[in-house]
Amino acid sequence: MRRSIFAKIFGGYVLVTVILSGLILAFSFAGIRDFYVDGETESLKNLGTALDTSAIPLVAAGNHLELDRLVKKVGKETHTRITVVAPDGRVLADSETNPENMENHRTRTEVAQALDGNTGRFLRLSGTLKEEMLYIALPMKHEGRIIGVLRLSLFLKQMNDAMNRFRVKIAEITVTILGFSLLIALAFSRSLSRPIKELSAASRKVAGQDFNVRVFLRNHDELKELADSFNSMVSHTRSLFAELTHQKEELTSIISSLQEGLLVLDRNDKLLLSNESFKRLTSGLASEGDFYWEIFREPQFDELIRKVRSSRQNREDEIEFSKRIFLCSATFLESEGEVAVVFHDITQIKNLEQIKTDFVLNVSHELRTPLTAIKGFAETLEEVVEDDEARHYVDIISRNADRLMNIITDLLTLSSLEAKGAQPQFTEVNLKDLAENVLKIFTHPVKEKNLRMTLMADDALPTIEADPFKLEQMFINLVDNAVKYSEQGGIEITLKQAKEGIVIAVKDTGIGIPHDSLARIFERFYVVDKSRSKRMGGTGLGLSIVKHVVMLHHGSIEVDSSVGLGTTFTVTLPEHGSGQSS
Ligand code: ADP
């Protein structure tokens, strides 16, 4: 059960006040009685001391009759019962009755105390009158001896009556004070709880996004400070909220006006956010909170999301949706485990690429026949021409025809690799055997250049699923470059198994590649040194072919090079099915 702050403060106050009043009453009642009894004891003692001066000579002289008369007289005047007791307990005189009729008082506590030389005091019910009485007994000393005991007693009934009246008065005062203090407590609790209630009501309004609320208190204490801080916090929150809302609106309008489709998936692959373009892409099926696979099913997209999540890294892939091709760039958002995907429609670019590829393919095909004719006739001419100068020109024609043929062959290879739907023919490939066969092709140029060539392969190198012809092409291009661009030292080919797949490294001790060219060497027709490449019979297409082969196998290629020291190309290929999703 929720109890209000008012109930707590007031309840606590009432509890403390009532307990305190009760304690004060209890202690004061006990204290007042003790105070009364002490006062009466003192008066009786004083009376006894005064009476002793006349009574002691009478006791010493054995004048009991006179003593009894004196006692009766003083007792009547002072409303006190006075008794004189001999050391043996016999009553010698008594103010109320005939002493001869009274029993022996030797054993009475107060008498016994007095006979021991002390002032005896005792409170008890009187045997005859059944009323509470206060007894004081004083030893009567004569010439250093105790010759009797003077006992003075008083009915406490009177005192009790007075005390009861006094108690009633005290109780009345206490209740009045209690009433007043509770009224004050009520007002105090109200004044303390009201600002807290106001603050709490205002907080509730702020939680409900009402930022116009303010709390004004008349207090001049910490609560006022709290209210002031609350007000400034609310106005600060209001401006922050307005700013955030504005930013959100801006962001929403930017996102929705984006040409690219945008999709954000939460950690459970449910749609968190999507823009208009994405909704159009899914024919309006996309709605926030749905699993993405409820909206569209595309194994390549599933694979992309799975890879982004498992690697926690951004990735992109070309994926076909509803007969259009999209470059899907998926970004992993570390903080919440979300994935944001941008769908960039590249259908047109892809079509243009296709037109370009087809064009290149057609031109290459068309050029091939006349070129073969030029080459054939140049070779025939070489045999028949005798003039040195003419021979030189024919030689130039023949070399350039070779170069052109190389370019055309490479262009045709590239086009076949890029051709739409050109899928590699995967079979089990023994990489070591394949590499050994390739190396045989280079035995002659290696020997000519006086280079060393070694192949190192893991003993337990597994076979991989790959397209052997394309892999061979890749090996040839890499080793060809290594031989072409090395003048001394050797070429080292390493095949090993690693966690990521099979790693193929082709390392040479050649001229190396300048650092700023490294990023461009895989581009078509890019050559570092034109004249050198030309001299070597290069086309600038070799590494483009290599990159394409690696990509068709879903692998990766890296290059590490130092000018003057050598170059290492490292290709990593997945072992099974070349990383293709099923
Ligand atoms: P090319 O047919 O001219 O060799 P590539 O595409 O095979 O064309 O290579 C592109 C360029 O990269 C080359 O012109 C060359 O400058 C550089 N290159 C490639 N491989 C090596 C290598 N092993 N050592 C030094 N340079 C290299």
Side-chain angles (χ1 to χ4, degrees), residues 410 477-478 480-486 506 508 510-514 520-523 525-530 532-534 536-546 561 566-569:
D410 279 355
N477 287 7
L478 287 176
D480 182 45
N481 279 349
V483 176
K484 265 193 317 199
Y485 299 107
S486 299
V506 179
D508 64 52
I511 57 166
I513 304 166
R520 302 197 56 194
I521 51 170
F522 294 104
E523 288 175 17
F525 296 111
Y526 183 82
V527 291
V528 176
D529 182 342
K530 265 203 178 117
R532 183 193 283 265
S533 171
K534 215 184 263 179
M536 301 289 178
T539 59
L541 291 168
L543 287 180
S544 306
I545 295 171
V546 170
S561 185
T567 308
T568 307
F569 283 92

Side-chain angles (χ1 to χ4, degrees), residues 370-390:
L371 199 62
T372 318
I374 295 171
K375 174 107 180 91
F377 284 114
E379 276 167 10
T380 320
L381 262 182
E382 252 180 350
E383 282 167 22
V384 292
V385 167
E386 282 172 8
D387 175 45
D388 275 353
E389 202 178 347

Side-chain angles (χ1 to χ4, degrees), residues 59 64 67 81 83-94 98-116 124 137 140 146-151:
V59 176
H64 296 156
L67 181 70
R81 181 170 184 183
T83 313
V84 179
V85 183
D88 57 1
R90 237 176 344 108
V91 177
L92 301 179
D94 186 76
N98 186 354
E100 279 164 22
N101 298 338
M102 289 172 74
E103 58 192 50
N104 192 298
H105 273 46
R106 177 82 178 88
T107 52
R108 301 285 163 95
T109 315
E110 69 280 2
V111 174
Q113 283 171 351
L115 284 174
D116 284 344
R124 70 159 176 267
M140 301 172 93
I146 295 174
I147 55 165
V149 171
L150 179 65
R151 191 183 74 165

